[in-house]
Amino acid sequence: MTREPILLAHALSTFDQRWSPRIVTQVNDYDVRVAKVEGEHVWHAHDDTDEFFLVLDGELTIALREQEGERSVVLSTGAVFVVPRGTEHKPSSKDGASIMLFEPTGTSTVGDRHEDVPDHVDATTGHALEP
């Protein structure tokens, strides 16, 4: 990891792939990831960790399956949301968005429980950010 400031706009300009996060830096045992998203992800859950979302640009919808039933939250630029551990969720963005995520290092983008992963979703623990 670099010991220099990282401009998020520059980090996002280094790749075009959707649903394929890049690891910008690490904080203790957590990755700070950025991703470009568009269309639908996959229903999935992280059994042992919460998932933090920050929308840097655009709009992100997160569908949730909770005890009370299904609901969706809509996050606009600057909004944050935490999906509690064990909660099935499915992020999507109709017109595209740039997001930041905080997750324990090694956390899979498709969680511990997921439906079939479509070709446009990268099942990864994050990719190194290109200089």
Side-chain angles (χ1 to χ4, degrees), residues 9 14 28 31 43-44 46 50-51 62 71 73 78 80-81 88-89 99 108 119-120:
T14 65
N28 298 318
D31 289 342
W43 279 106
H44 67 285
H46 302 279
D50 300 336
E51 187 170 17
I62 303 175
R71 71 178 179 114
V73 295
V80 299
F81 185 76
E88 287 185 278
H89 59 288
I99 63 174
S108 170
D119 291 339
H120 71 277

Side-chain angles (χ1 to χ4, degrees), residues 8-9 12 33-35 53-58 76-79 97-101:
L8 295 180
L12 287 160
R33 302 175 184 179
V34 293
F53 291 86
L54 164 62
V55 177
L56 301 169
D57 185 47
S76 57
T77 300
S98 297
I99 63 174
M100 178 183 284
L101 305 130

Side-chain angles (χ1 to χ4, degrees), residues 28-45:
N28 298 318
D29 298 332
Y30 279 74
D31 289 342
V32 177
R33 302 175 184 179
V34 293
K36 294 178 180 178
V37 300
E38 188 171 6
E40 294 186 346
H41 197 267
V42 62
W43 279 106
H44 67 285

Side-chain angles (χ1 to χ4, degrees), residues 114-129:
H114 55 80
E115 296 178 356
D116 293 330
V117 179
D119 291 339
H120 71 277
V121 173
D122 186 8
T124 180
T125 57
H127 298 282
L129 185 64

Side-chain angles (χ1 to χ4, degrees), residues 47-107:
D47 291 332
D48 299 319
T49 186
D50 300 336
E51 187 170 17
F52 173 92
F53 291 86
L54 164 62
V55 177
L56 301 169
D57 185 47
E59 185 175 274
L60 181 73
T61 299
I62 303 175
L64 303 159
R65 290 179 176 155
E66 300 172 311
Q67 288 182 346
E68 303 81 21
E70 285 190 21
R71 71 178 179 114
S72 293
V73 295
V74 178
L75 309 175
S76 57
T77 300
V80 299
F81 185 76
V82 175
V83 175
R85 70 187 69 207
T87 301
E88 287 185 278
H89 59 288
K90 179 178 167 181
S92 65
S93 180
K94 180 182 173 191
D95 297 319
S98 297
I99 63 174
M100 178 183 284
L101 305 130
F102 291 99
E103 299 179 297
T105 299
T107 299

